[in-house]
């Protein structure tokens, strides 16, 4: 039989060969999951020997990570804005970049109220966080993906948020008008697909990643819908790629929005378009 310590060392070597980032952390998280203990408990039990059923369970999890499946899909959860969200294949893993939208709203519109929409809600990280952080907002979450709406509903229920979910393309079937519209649309340029991590390229839903020509074709269409559905005086925030700030400001202007500007993420990169109707 193998001890915890021994299995961890073997797995770290295996993950390193497969090109997995932070191989030790990944090995520890998965072994803790297989043994149904916390990471702290695991590290205090290096001499513990694994029962065969635990070893088999761990092997199955480790094989998935070795094949570069995102750790968040394997664990079934991911933190966003200090809350734990359920995630699964079929929805984009929430990223810290998207917290830039929440932070910007907290800074600039701390009393946000009225009707809000999140276009392309994915896991629901953004819609649920808005509903919880801004209790005077009523939030509609839309997505073309049935899985996304299911996961958003599950996260809203678990976290005690009231979010209305509706399957549609953008806001095509929404009434509004909205005081606030946010979106983290697909914005990767398909020409850059080869440069993506295997976790992203091979496992996350392509329809949540690739934004058409230049990465901004879908955003362009959603900005037109946004201009149509915002109340006069309403505001929108769209996440985008670090090199798309200028293009997004121009597209916002073409859609009839005004005062377009760009907010930077925690790394100092252009990340979020803010524009008004
Ligand atoms: N930031 C993501 C990535 O490249 C892209 C997410 C998106 O297209 N909305 O990993």
């Amino acid at each position: 039989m193998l001890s915890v310590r021994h299995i961890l060392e073997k797995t770290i070597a295996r993950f390193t060969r497969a090109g997995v980032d932070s191989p030790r952390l990944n090995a520890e998280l998965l072994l803790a999951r297989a043994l149904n203990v916390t990471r702290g408990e695991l590290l205090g039990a290096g001499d513990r020997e694994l029962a065969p059923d635990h070893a088999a369970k761990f092997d199955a999890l480790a094989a998935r990570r070795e094949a570069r499946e995102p750790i968040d899909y394997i664990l079934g959860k991911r933190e966003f804005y200090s809350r734990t969200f359920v995630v699964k294949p079929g929805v984009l893993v929430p990223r810290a970049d998207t917290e830039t939208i929440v932070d910007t709203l907290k800074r600039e519109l701390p009393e946000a109220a009225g009707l809000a929409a999140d276009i392309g809600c994915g896991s629901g990280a953004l819609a649920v966080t808005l509903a919880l952080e801004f209790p005077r907002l009523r939030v509609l979450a839309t997505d073309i993906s049935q899985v996304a709406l299911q996961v958003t509903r599950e996260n809203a229920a678990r976290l005690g948020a009231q979010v209305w979910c509706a399957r549609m393309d953008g806001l095509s079937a929404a009434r509004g008008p909205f005081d606030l519209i946010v979106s983290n649309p697909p914005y990767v340029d398909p020409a850059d697909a080869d440069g993506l991590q295997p976790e992203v390229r091979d496992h996350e839903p392509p329809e949540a990643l690739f934004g058409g020509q230049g990465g901004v074709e879908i955003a362009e269409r959603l900005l037109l819908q946004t201009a149509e559905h915002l109340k006069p005086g309403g505001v929108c925030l769209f996440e985008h790629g670090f090199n798309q700030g200028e293009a997004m400001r121009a597209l916002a202007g073409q859609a009839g929005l005004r005062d377009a500007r760009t907010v930077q993420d925690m790394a100092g990169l252009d990340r979020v378009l803010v524009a008004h109707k």
Side-chain angles (χ1 to χ4, degrees):
M1 284 214 283
L2 285 173
S3 67
V4 161
R5 187 176 297 112
H6 192 122
I7 292 208
L8 283 177
E9 291 312 319
K10 269 183 35 177
T11 307
I12 290 162
R14 185 173 162 193
F15 283 176
T16 304
R17 278 194 304 275
V20 171
D21 261 353
S22 309
R24 175 173 295 276
L25 175 63
N26 276 265
E28 290 171 1
L29 288 170
L30 293 177
L31 188 52
R33 166 58 63 90
L35 298 181
N36 200 19
V37 297
T38 65
R39 205 170 132 230
E41 287 165 348
L42 179 79
L43 298 181
D47 293 327
R48 173 173 166 184
E49 305 227 309
L50 256 66
D53 58 327
H54 282 146
K57 189 167 170 204
F58 173 69
D59 252 347
L61 298 179
R64 287 170 67 182
R65 191 68 189 99
E66 189 176 27
R68 303 295 297 270
E69 183 170 342
I71 184 82
D72 318 278
Y73 286 160
I74 305 174
L75 297 175
K77 59 181 184 167
R78 168 78 168 214
E79 295 274 304
F80 183 82
Y81 219 75
S82 304
R83 295 185 182 89
T84 301
F85 286 80
V86 168
V87 297
K88 57 180 73 161
V91 299
L92 192 80
V93 173
R95 271 95 160 134
D97 290 342
T98 307
E99 295 180 349
T100 309
I101 292 184
V102 186
D103 285 334
T104 304
L105 281 169
K106 290 232 134 174
R107 205 168 51 237
E108 300 187 6
L109 271 179
E111 303 298 322
L115 195 54
D118 174 19
I119 303 176
C121 57
S123 66
L126 193 48
V128 168
T129 302
L130 290 188
L132 292 172
E133 296 292 328
F134 300 91
R136 296 166 64 213
L137 281 179
R138 281 169 299 138
V139 182
L140 169 73
T142 77
D143 208 294
I144 49 171
S145 153
Q146 196 65 57
V147 179
L149 293 170
Q150 267 163 23
V151 176
T152 293
R153 281 194 190 97
E154 182 176 350
N155 280 316
R158 279 168 172 265
L159 292 166
Q162 167 107 245
V163 172
W164 285 265
C165 296
R167 187 177 189 186
M168 67 182 80
D169 181 5
L171 294 173
S172 53
R175 304 215 5 224
F178 295 92
D179 298 277
L180 169 69
I181 296 176
V182 299
S183 183
N184 171 20
Y187 58 70
V188 177
D189 185 337
D192 297 334
D194 287 347
L196 296 174
Q197 293 275 353
E199 282 83 353
V200 178
R201 189 189 59 224
D202 301 337
H203 297 276
E204 292 198 275
E207 65 274 22
L209 290 173
F210 297 109
Q213 184 89 44
V216 294
E217 214 175 280
I218 293 179
E220 176 175 16
R221 193 162 57 74
L222 296 178
L223 282 169
L224 286 167
Q225 287 191 4
T226 293
E228 216 175 281
H229 284 84
L230 270 182
K231 271 186 202 162
V235 61
C236 70
L237 294 89
F238 271 60
E239 184 174 327
H240 58 69
F242 70 94
N243 55 359
Q244 295 169 341
E246 197 181 332
M248 289 293 284
R249 292 194 300 275
L251 291 171
Q254 285 162 31
L257 297 165
R258 58 182 177 79
D259 304 329
R261 64 202 160 80
T262 303
V263 175
Q264 281 75 38
D265 62 20
M266 274 182 306
L269 301 171
D270 283 358
R271 187 60 62 194
V272 172
L273 166 82
V274 183
H276 298 258
K277 171 119 172 216

